[in-house]
Amino acid sequence: MACSTAAGVEATALLSPRPAPSSVVRRRLALACRTRHRSLRVAAQRPQKSTTGADPLNGSNVQSDEAAVSTAKERQRNYGDGDGISNLQLEDLVGMIQNTEKNILLLNQARVQALEHADKILKEKEALQRKINSLETRLSETDAQHKLSNKGNFSDSSLGLEFDVLKEENILLKEDIEFLKTKLIEVAETEESIFKLEKERALLDASLRQLESRFIAAQADMMKLGPRKYDAWWEKVEKLEDLLETTANKVEHAAMILDHNHDLQDKLEKLEESLRAANISKFSCYLVDLLQQKVKSVEERFQACNREMHSQIELYENSIVEFHGTLSKLIEESEKRSLENFTGNMPSELWSRISLLIDGWLLEKKISYNDANTLREMVRKRDSCLREAYLSCRDTESKEVMDNFLKMALPGTSSGLHIAHIAAEMAPVAKVGGLADVISGLGKALQKKGHLVEIILPKYDCMQVDQVSNLKVLDVLVQSFFEGKMFNNKIWTGTVEGLPVYFIEPQHPANYFWRAQYYGENDDFKRFSYFSRAALELLYQSGKKVDIIHCHDWQTAFVAPLYWDIYANLGFNSARICFTCHNFEYQGTAPARDLAWCGLDVEHLDRPDRMRDNSHGRINVVKGAIVYSNIVTTVSPTYALEVRSEGGRGLQDTLKVHSRKFLGILNGIDTDTWNPSTDRYLKVQYNANDLQGKAANKAALRKQLNLASAYPSQPLVGCITRLVPQKGVHLIRHAIYKTAEIGGQFVLLGSSPVPHIQKEFEGIADYFQNNNNIRLLLKYDDALSHCIYAASDMFIVPSIFEPCGLTQMIAMRYGSVPIVRKTGGLNDSVFDFDDETIPMEVRNGFTFVKADEQGLSSAMERAFNCYTRKPEVWKQLVQKDMRIDFSWDTSASQYEDIYQKAAARARAAA
Ligand SMILES: Nc1ncnc2c1ncn2[C@@H]1O[C@H](COP(=O)(O)OP(=O)(O)O)[C@@H](O)[C@H]1O
């Protein structure tokens, strides 16, 4: 118990706030004293045994607390009230040490007293023992005498009396002995408590030593803090005290002056009062004069003010008139400018809107076919009256606009064409690959050439709606046939890149275009045969006299047989069909019966010379389009040659049969979208004359992709592609490793619809994860693609076959030199830098022929050599590439030419 208490004392001393240690020690001492009191109770009962009780102990304790407080205060005075933590700790320690010292002293005193008492008690015990011994001897003697008298028939009465006294004495002695025995036990207890006190003292000694060492450490800390700091503080405090005193004195002085002032004020008031009484009559006369003068001067000033105000008002009114004049001039000018802007900067947007309005009115049966056609003709001719009419009332009710238009509807003739593209993609609203770029690029180029161009697309749930301006649903449902029934279609209109676009939203339970992806559904054949039929139905029901219906790839190849087998028979026969195959790899085959879904006659079409596939019993939609279209094109002259043999994927014979209407026209690129001098995705815009921006974009991409950037001239190779076998995935993989080997950097942006290819590239991406020269980004990211084109020095396109390929052209426009395999459109757009058989001015990249690693490696090495060893030559090559015209202009002219010829034949036939 004593041990645990002592430990408690120590723990409390170390952890508790200031008052705790002394109170605990006090409690312990009181306990010890109480034990001592108990042991000395016997002695206390005897008058001669005096006690040194608990009071002095408590008293000395109180004194020690006060002493500690005063010491702490003293210390505070010496060091000021500076660093709170050190002072408090120090104060605690000092108080505790002093208390503990006092307590140990008290315990020692108590121990000495207890030992003295124990000594006395022992002596008393010995005396009592001696007495007991003598009494016991006497008792035994008495007992013996008693036995003897009993034996000798005691008759002596005095002896009997003595015997009784002795007996009584004997009983008393026995009681005394018992009492003394209990006292002896108590003495033993006292010894035990002394022993406990000893132990407690030892513990207190130990804690005292600890406290002393902490005190020394605290003193050392104090020394470190530096007494000068405290001296300075103390000085400051003294100064403040002085200041306080001086201020107090001043306040006192001020109060005195204030009192004095009050007295003076009183006196002054009294004096003034008496003075006023004395002068009142004289002052009033003077005052009246003064007032009259004042009134006169105020009147004069008032009149002057009035005059000034009038002139100011006049000026103000004049400036208001002037302001109104300027304002109306500005309004007029801004209206004129907005008109100019609208017609100048956005002519296609304006005409597309007008054209959509006319189509809407016709579909909603608000205007007749004839009126619609007349108005469309005016749109095509960019009729200025129509434009003015639209601009003057475009904010009014649609009815008013329509009435104005109808007033102007006059018959006319034109050489321009009405072209409708029916497609599954369009950039940037619904883009998967190059097809999307062609639709908007070619459409815009044809529009610029004065043709009326419209686009019809499915309304996909996943399309980029934010890329459509003025998107709205028409107040009409267009019905179309499918699987023996009629289905409603919602028709949405809007403009994309200034082109008028119709979006068809089928009201079919299968939700054909509500699949969160463009392609890759099990029922793609159904989805797109439905769309092809609905698109033609839309054209038919809107009563348009379209000249060219241009369909693209297998998804809309159904249009050709549908048009000639169904719609031409309904009188909708003004149009000629152009079909472009962007890739003969995808031909759209299905069991013959599936053709019936969209209303095609299976029996009539499932023939070797019509739609039956050349190598199996299914029907082939691309073959059907080749057979049924008036014009068939593909996307580059070389590819057009290639597909006439093996590249035709089984359709070479069909192409040969229809070779007179088949040609290859090289795609262009949309030079507005792909323009490094205006590209909003780039860190810095640049052009061929100023290539600094290109370096800045390279640095930015390196930073963005966490690539090493120590050597700005380290060549960066880019690759942006769908990862499909056509693109030469094994060569792309080789290019990555080759680049790492020859000290370049490589960035790949691409994803694959083929699971094992995607997985393989994920593995390569993981492998190079921590390599700061190689980065693989396996996703579709339009913004990032712009940055890669701009940042890269070289661009890899190692395709096995490539119908046209746009990436090599975009790369050149951004100053990235292409390294390509000589195939399809790559062969028509990239010419080897080292090929001396071709003129120097057209050499723009590095090519290889065989689709193997050696071919690619050698082209890459040549490019790297030129880049590192001949920087000036390289720079000229970059500038030359950037200046090549890859716009749609030339290609659109070729399309225009074949459209015109087909339309002329149609007119002649009519
Ligand atoms: N992962 C991707 N992220 C962004 N754009 C891509 C990606 N892959 C391809 N593209 C773009 O798609 C178009 C590819 O066109 P093209 O070279 O004709 O190939 P294809 O039509 O066979 O896919 C280019 O505009 C290219 O920038």
Side-chain angles (χ1 to χ4, degrees):
M1 166 80 182
C3 209
S4 70
T5 314
V9 171
E10 190 181 12
T12 322
L14 290 170
L15 300 171
S16 300
R18 261 180 298 171
S22 59
S23 68
V24 172
V25 172
R26 233 182 281 145
R27 216 165 44 241
R28 296 284 150 252
L29 287 174
L31 249 175
C33 292
R34 244 178 272 135
T35 318
R36 188 166 57 107
H37 274 292
R38 225 185 305 128
S39 64
L40 299 179
R41 205 164 55 216
V42 178
Q45 281 167 353
R46 309 229 167 133
Q48 76 274 18
K49 310 280 183 210
S50 73
T51 56
T52 49
D55 286 350
L57 282 175
N58 284 339
S60 71
N61 241 351
V62 170
Q63 274 170 12
S64 78
D65 272 358
E66 279 169 358
V69 169
S70 73
T71 318
K73 278 185 182 164
E74 181 65 23
R75 244 176 257 274
Q76 212 167 356
R77 251 200 307 283
N78 287 339
Y79 297 118
D81 195 17
D83 194 317
I85 296 167
S86 301
N87 265 353
L88 271 178
Q89 281 183 341
L90 194 67
E91 199 182 301
D92 283 349
L93 285 169
V94 171
M96 277 153 47
I97 290 165
Q98 284 176 342
N99 281 340
T100 316
E101 278 170 348
K102 294 252 159 49
N103 291 336
I104 289 165
L105 196 71
L106 290 172
L107 276 170
N108 278 339
Q109 283 173 1
R111 192 170 63 101
V112 171
Q113 282 174 355
L115 283 171
E116 278 172 4
H117 282 292
D119 213 27
K120 275 182 193 163
I121 287 163
L122 272 176
K123 278 180 188 154
E124 274 176 24
K125 188 184 127 186
E126 277 166 16
L128 282 169
Q129 194 66 50
R130 275 197 303 277
K131 208 172 176 184
I132 289 165
N133 289 346
S134 80
L135 282 169
E136 273 177 349
T137 330
R138 280 179 65 192
L139 191 65
S140 54
E141 279 173 8
T142 318
D143 274 351
Q145 279 175 3
H146 181 65
K147 275 175 194 163
L148 278 172
S149 68
N150 274 349
K151 268 184 195 169
N153 275 333
F154 286 112
S155 55
D156 192 342
S157 59
S158 65
L159 205 66
L161 209 66
E162 198 180 343
F163 178 71
D164 284 343
V165 172
L166 275 170
K167 236 179 171 177
E168 230 172 86
E169 209 174 318
N170 201 9
I171 288 161
L172 278 171
L173 274 169
K174 270 185 181 165
E175 277 176 10
D176 262 3
I177 287 164
E178 282 308 309
F179 179 74
L180 282 169
K181 272 181 183 165
T182 49
K183 286 296 134 197
L184 272 173
I185 291 163
E186 279 180 17
V187 167
E189 275 176 9
T190 311
E191 273 174 356
E192 202 179 299
S193 74
I194 286 166
F195 178 68
K196 283 176 186 170
L197 280 169
E198 264 310 314
K199 265 190 174 174
E200 213 164 316
R201 192 184 72 94
L203 282 165
L204 282 167
D205 272 342
S207 78
L208 177 68
R209 274 193 297 281
Q210 262 186 11
L211 287 168
E212 273 173 355
S213 60
R214 285 179 64 195
F215 177 64
I216 290 160
Q219 268 182 331
D221 282 351
M222 288 280 294
M223 289 307 287
K224 273 186 217 156
L225 276 169
R228 252 189 292 155
K229 188 174 160 189
Y230 298 100
D231 286 350
W233 285 340
W234 189 241
E235 247 172 56
K236 271 184 196 167
V237 171
E238 274 176 352
K239 271 185 195 158
L240 279 171
E241 273 177 358
D242 287 350
L243 209 71
L244 207 67
E245 213 175 297
T246 333
T247 317
N249 288 341
K250 279 185 184 165
V251 168
E252 220 169 279
H253 187 64
M256 272 165 61
I257 290 171
L258 212 65
D259 284 349
H260 188 63
N261 278 356
H262 276 304
D263 289 349
L264 281 174
Q265 187 102 24
D266 286 347
K267 278 180 193 165
L268 196 73
E269 273 171 15
K270 276 175 195 160
L271 272 170
E272 274 175 354
E273 217 168 283
S274 48
L275 201 71
R276 236 178 284 139
N279 289 333
I280 191 110
S281 54
K282 214 164 81 182
F283 183 72
S284 60
C285 287
Y286 169 73
L287 205 69
V288 169
D289 279 355
L290 203 75
L291 272 172
Q292 275 172 348
Q293 275 174 20
K294 280 235 160 140
V295 166
K296 208 174 164 195
S297 86
V298 164
E299 268 175 2
E300 277 168 11
R301 280 176 61 196
F302 179 71
Q303 277 166 6
C305 253
N306 227 2
R307 279 196 300 277
E308 205 177 320
M309 258 176 67
H310 275 296
S311 69
Q312 289 283 348
I313 287 170
E314 219 167 284
L315 268 174
Y316 176 69
E317 278 172 353
N318 285 345
S319 65
I320 283 184
V321 171
E322 205 177 315
F323 171 75
H324 276 295
T326 323
L327 193 69
S328 30
K329 263 189 208 158
L330 275 172
I331 290 170
E332 225 170 82
E333 208 170 303
S334 95
E335 271 174 3
K336 221 165 111 190
R337 271 197 199 155
S338 74
L339 207 77
E340 274 165 16
N341 267 346
F342 206 58
T343 54
N345 295 344
M346 305 162 46
S348 44
E349 176 84 20
L350 170 85
W351 292 113
S352 298
R353 283 191 194 176
I354 297 174
S355 155
L356 288 172
L357 263 183
I358 297 165
D359 288 349
W361 294 332
L362 181 74
L363 284 166
E364 289 160 10
K365 300 199 170 31
K366 289 175 181 162
I367 57 172
S368 71
Y369 286 142
N370 283 344
D371 285 341
N373 283 333
T374 312
L375 287 171
R376 281 190 198 117
E377 196 53 35
M378 290 170 82
V379 169
R380 199 191 48 71
K381 281 167 39 192
R382 303 285 195 264
D383 189 295
S384 59
C385 297
L386 197 67
R387 184 191 68 199
E388 297 305 323
Y390 175 73
L391 291 176
S392 63
C393 58
R394 72 197 140 109
D395 295 328
T396 57
E397 287 291 301
S398 160
K399 175 87 174 64
E400 202 178 318
V401 185
M402 194 176 76
D403 290 345
N404 278 346
F405 275 27
L406 287 176
K407 274 182 219 156
M408 290 181 294
L410 294 165
T413 52
S414 139
S415 60
L417 298 169
H418 185 167
I419 303 151
H421 286 274
I422 302 175
E425 294 181 36
M426 180 189 184
V429 65
K431 176 171 170 175
V432 176
L435 167 63
D437 295 301
V438 172
I439 301 303
S440 37
L442 176 61
K444 277 162 76 175
L446 289 168
Q447 196 184 45
K448 266 188 203 156
K449 288 180 183 293
H451 302 287
L452 182 62
V453 183
E454 294 168 346
I455 319 288
I456 304 174
L457 293 177
K459 187 169 187 298
Y460 298 100
D461 57 343
C462 53
M463 70 183 200
Q464 309 273 299
V465 181
D466 57 330
Q467 302 285 355
V468 188
S469 311
N470 227 16
L471 181 68
K472 57 182 175 224
V473 67
L474 290 185
D475 190 17
V476 69
L477 291 169
V478 169
Q479 287 206 320
S480 64
F481 175 90
F482 202 68
E483 289 184 290
K485 283 184 249 169
M486 297 302 282
F487 289 94
N488 285 329
N489 297 284
K490 275 190 188 174
I491 308 297
W492 296 76
T493 63
T495 55
V496 177
E497 303 267 299
L499 287 164
V501 184
Y502 290 91
F503 298 95
I504 296 180
E505 186 188 346
Q507 305 294 290
H508 190 283
N511 293 324
Y512 285 134
F513 301 107
W514 212 255
R515 306 289 181 84
Q517 62 174 353
Y518 299 108
Y519 313 128
E521 295 287 302
N522 287 333
D523 56 352
D524 274 358
F525 193 88
K526 245 185 185 181
R527 295 165 73 215
F528 289 102
S529 60
Y530 180 101
F531 169 66
S532 297
R533 176 78 199 241
L536 274 176
E537 197 64 46
L538 171 69
L539 287 174
Y540 172 59
Q541 287 185 32
S542 61
K544 294 182 181 187
K545 273 192 166 290
V546 185
D547 296 302
I548 300 291
I549 297 173
H550 195 153
C551 48
H552 301 262
D553 276 351
W554 78 263
Q555 290 88 348
T556 56
F558 300 92
V559 165
L562 277 171
Y563 179 79
W564 287 116
D565 276 0
I566 297 173
Y567 289 93
N569 298 331
L570 296 173
F572 177 42
N573 57 6
S574 64
R576 290 299 175 261
I577 307 293
C578 177
F579 171 69
T580 298
C581 185
H582 297 254
N583 192 334
F584 278 89
E585 174 99 328
Y586 310 101
Q587 298 182 4
T589 63
R593 62 174 182 278
D594 292 358
L595 272 187
W597 290 332
C598 62
L600 286 171
D601 184 341
V602 177
E603 231 173 275
H604 173 67
L605 294 168
D606 185 17
R607 286 171 34 168
D609 60 338
R610 292 187 181 162
M611 288 188 78
R612 188 181 300 160
D613 190 89
N614 293 339
S615 51
H616 49 69
R618 291 157 74 92
I619 47 100
N620 181 320
V621 198
V622 168
K623 179 177 173 179
I626 295 169
V627 173
Y628 274 84
S629 294
N630 304 92
I631 307 161
V632 179
T633 70
T634 192
V635 289
S636 71
T638 300
Y639 190 57
L641 274 178
E642 287 171 355
V643 294
R644 281 194 181 103
S645 54
E646 268 164 35
R649 300 281 191 273
L651 289 179
Q652 45 271 44
D653 290 340
T654 312
L655 287 169
K656 274 178 203 155
V657 170
H658 296 274
S659 65
R660 283 182 63 208
K661 61 179 179 186
F662 176 58
L663 79 162
I665 299 174
L666 187 71
N667 282 340
I669 56 168
D670 184 342
T671 44
D672 296 333
T673 306
W674 301 108
N675 185 354
S677 63
T678 55
D679 195 326
R680 66 197 161 94
Y681 292 119
L682 303 192
K683 186 91 183 159
V684 181
Q685 280 88 32
Y686 62 99
N687 56 50
N689 300 325
D690 174 17
L691 291 175
Q692 292 224 318
K694 185 160 176 68
N697 284 298
K698 185 174 173 179
L701 186 79
R702 281 170 157 182
K703 198 172 169 204
Q704 183 187 343
L705 302 181
N706 206 16
L707 289 169
S709 52
Y711 307 105
S713 60
Q714 186 181 11
L716 178 68
V717 183
C719 180
I720 301 170
T721 184
R722 288 182 298 123
L723 290 166
V724 288
Q726 170 206 333
K727 303 289 178 183
V729 281
H730 69 289
L731 294 178
I732 293 171
R733 187 185 52 214
H734 175 71
I736 297 169
Y737 288 95
K738 181 74 187 172
T739 306
E741 182 195 315
I742 57 180
Q745 292 186 319
F746 197 101
V747 176
L748 167 76
L749 173 64
S751 60
S752 182
V754 186
H756 78 266
I757 298 178
Q758 179 75 11
K759 215 163 165 220
E760 184 194 343
F761 276 80
E762 279 168 6
I764 302 172
D766 284 349
Y767 178 77
F768 284 110
Q769 201 180 1
N770 299 319
N771 185 309
N772 57 9
N773 285 321
I774 311 290
R775 207 56 80 232
L776 273 67
L777 304 135
L778 305 178
K779 58 176 177 176
Y780 184 91
D781 188 333
D782 190 41
L784 184 57
S785 77
H786 286 244
C787 300
I788 295 172
Y789 285 122
S792 54
D793 299 297
M794 299 164 203
F795 199 89
I796 288 274
V797 193
S799 303
I800 305 303
F801 72 94
E802 191 59 74
C804 174
L806 299 177
T807 57
Q808 78 282 7
M809 297 189 218
I810 303 170
M812 283 189 263
R813 185 144 168 84
Y814 281 73
S816 183
V817 176
I819 302 170
V820 306
R821 188 172 162 255
K822 270 175 94 63
T823 176
L826 298 170
N827 185 54
D828 295 328
S829 55
V830 184
F831 306 97
D832 197 278
F833 188 70
D834 298 320
D835 187 347
E836 287 167 358
T837 64
I838 45 178
M840 189 63 197
E841 61 268 22
V842 295
R843 295 185 216 167
N844 55 8
F846 295 86
T847 62
F848 61 101
V849 180
K850 273 185 97 181
D852 57 18
E853 295 178 358
Q854 287 90 321
L856 173 60
S857 289
S858 115
M860 285 180 75
E861 279 161 12
R862 285 190 294 121
F864 268 65
N865 273 342
C866 182
Y867 177 88
T868 46
R869 296 193 189 155
K870 300 172 192 164
E872 227 4 83
V873 174
W874 185 269
K875 190 181 166 194
Q876 283 165 12
L877 176 61
V878 167
Q879 289 175 321
K880 179 165 65 182
D881 282 2
M882 288 182 78
R883 290 182 183 128
I884 299 173
D885 178 12
F886 285 115
S887 74
W888 266 102
D889 196 47
T890 319
S891 311
S893 295
Q894 285 179 269
Y895 275 105
E896 191 182 33
D897 189 37
I898 54 169
Y899 289 162
Q900 293 283 18
K901 282 178 184 155
R905 281 197 298 274
R907 277 197 291 273

